[in-house]
Amino acid sequence: MKKINTILCCALLSVVPFAMTAQKKGASHAAAHKQLLANAASSKDKIKLIEQNTFIDLLENDIEPELDIYTEGWNSRSVNPFNEKDVPDSQVIDVRGYVMPHNGPLTSPYGYRQKFRRMHKGVDIGIKSNDTIYAAFDGKVRLTAYEGRGYGNYVILRHPNGLETVYGHLNKHLVKPDDVVRAGDPIGLGGSTGRSTGPHLHFETRFMGYAINPSAIFDFANHTTHTDQYTFSKSTYTKARNYAPNKNKVELAAEKENTYKSGNHQIASYIVKKGDTINKIARAHGLSATSLRKLNGLETTDVIKIGQELRLK
């Protein structure tokens, strides 16, 4: 009987609303945020916002996308705890109660970068150095860390609606792991840490490890969501949605440049080059290593060779 009571107590604690913890955290967040802003204001070398037309030239001077913290170099941290076999083919996600992480312009979209043979698994939002970055939904901080080759200082939040959001290139974290936050709470100060050419926010939306195109959920031009619900599908999660009369110019440029489409690859095959691995090729084309092996009838012990042609769909 004692054991049953203990289990019931744990179950009840797990569903206590975020509000009680959030209220306790709010005061400390506000104080820390105020102090950080004061320090930033007194800095003589405060970085100015780079104009959008020189910040990132999407078609000519596109910087290399961030390494994927969910698959590269973080196995010991278990950044991606999800198993492919557990991910449903389709899932309806409630995206009400959102707050835009920042209202700056979209400066680089989600999509495959042919130049670097790698996916850019989020969007970049133009900011000023030390601008406040906000939690997009209610949730809990799962990880705060630093990745020098990519995201710089970043925060990962897990949300009750099933999503996780990632916020990269921060100057400062304003939260720590296990903090409970409300949508709109400050979680960091934006910056240019890691692989970055200027102040911007790298923002990702993920479902069980799948990097959804944030433009499928958010209408960045109008600072809102497209609908109250987003339906995740393994065949469409990379595609943006846009119901506005005039599309964001950056999104139009991305559609022209990007050749990768999930579930409908325009690139049907790939020729193995020196230095390639199954994992590297799979990541570059939005596939799992398991899926790529299955497409090509390869076992985990099989070795690919230079010049070998691999099917991508």
Side-chain angles (χ1 to χ4, degrees), residues 37-104:
L37 288 177
N39 293 341
S42 62
S43 175
K44 294 181 180 180
D45 58 352
K46 184 176 179 181
I47 304 173
K48 295 181 180 179
L49 176 66
I50 302 174
E51 296 296 333
Q52 184 175 351
N53 63 347
T54 60
F55 176 69
I56 292 179
D57 187 328
L58 177 64
L59 300 179
E60 295 180 8
N61 298 317
D62 194 12
I63 61 172
E64 185 173 357
E66 294 82 355
L67 295 176
D68 186 354
I69 55 176
Y70 278 75
T71 59
E72 298 194 33
W74 288 94
N75 293 335
S76 63
R77 303 289 294 275
S78 298
V79 177
N80 183 6
F82 304 108
N83 295 316
E84 174 69 26
K85 64 182 179 62
D86 297 328
V87 182
D89 290 329
S90 180
Q91 179 73 37
V92 176
I93 299 171
D94 187 344
V95 293
R96 293 174 296 177
Y98 72 92
V99 169
M100 299 299 291
H102 191 279
N103 285 340

Side-chain angles (χ1 to χ4, degrees), residues 200-233:
H200 70 284
L201 172 68
H202 176 79
F203 177 63
E204 296 183 11
T205 50
R206 292 191 178 242
F207 175 69
M208 300 191 74
Y210 277 73
I212 297 168
N213 187 338
S215 293
I217 298 173
F218 292 95
D219 176 354
F220 289 97
N222 296 298
H223 304 151
T224 185
T225 55
H226 294 295
T227 53
D228 288 342
Q229 293 181 326
Y230 166 73
T231 301
F232 166 82
S233 167

